[in-house]
């Protein structure tokens, strides 16, 4: 079984508008609170705005509101994200409490929609 942030296909987390499809910064992201923790092997994303790229990070303690932060560990990533994309995670069996989808490219979109994020063990 997975841990989903939203199972309603009519709702989504939206980025700000980035006119011209250019972030103009290192990235933008959303993290999932999976406390008390899970050794996830796959993070699945559903999006109505495919094509973008992201790096997946994880940590055990609550994240600060600043980026970058050395507490995040890179555990995966994907380029050209599809409408439904399974991203393999390299957690090495370690349980993490927070998982960050850090979007690094908008692929020409002015705004991205993350409709669902699910973690699988």
């Amino acid at each position: 079984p997975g841990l989903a942030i939203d199972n309603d296909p009519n709702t989504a987390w939206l980025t700000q508008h980035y006119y011209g499809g250019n972030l103009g910064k290192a990235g933008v992201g959303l993290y999932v609170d999976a406390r008390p923790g899970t050794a996830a092997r796959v993070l699945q994303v559903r999006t109505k705005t495919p094509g973008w790229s992201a790096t997946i990070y994880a940590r055990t303690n609550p994240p600060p509101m600043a980026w970058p932060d050395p507490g995040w560990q890179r555990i995966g990533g994907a380029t050209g994200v599809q409408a439904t994309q399974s991203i393999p995670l390299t957690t090495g069996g370690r349980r993490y409490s927070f998982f960050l989808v850090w979007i690094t490219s908008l692929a020409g979109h002015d705004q991205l929609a993350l409709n669902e994020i699910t973690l699988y063990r």
Side-chain angles (χ1 to χ4, degrees):
L3 170 69
I5 62 162
D6 192 349
N7 288 316
D8 183 350
N10 298 314
T11 61
W13 175 83
L14 301 172
T15 66
Q16 294 179 20
H17 281 276
Y18 296 96
Y19 297 101
N22 182 11
L23 276 171
K25 56 185 177 181
V28 64
L30 169 74
Y31 71 82
V32 176
D33 182 339
R35 284 183 279 188
T38 186
R41 293 186 298 152
V42 173
L43 183 144
Q44 185 180 74
V45 176
R46 293 186 191 271
T47 179
K48 290 184 180 180
T49 52
W52 44 273
S53 300
T55 302
I56 311 301
Y57 294 93
R59 67 184 300 134
T60 55
N61 58 334
M65 295 306 291
W67 180 266
D69 178 76
W72 290 108
Q73 303 297 314
R74 186 185 190 286
I75 59 168
T79 58
V81 171
Q82 300 174 12
T84 299
Q85 175 88 35
S86 293
I87 303 169
L89 304 177
T90 55
T91 60
R94 183 172 179 191
R95 296 174 60 92
Y96 289 100
S97 299
F98 301 91
F99 294 81
L100 172 65
V101 178
W102 186 247
I103 298 162
T104 56
S105 169
L106 298 173
H109 295 286
D110 288 342
Q111 184 178 46
L112 297 183
L114 292 179
N115 299 86
E116 185 177 325
I117 296 174
T118 309
L119 294 168
Y120 291 98
R121 290 182 258 166

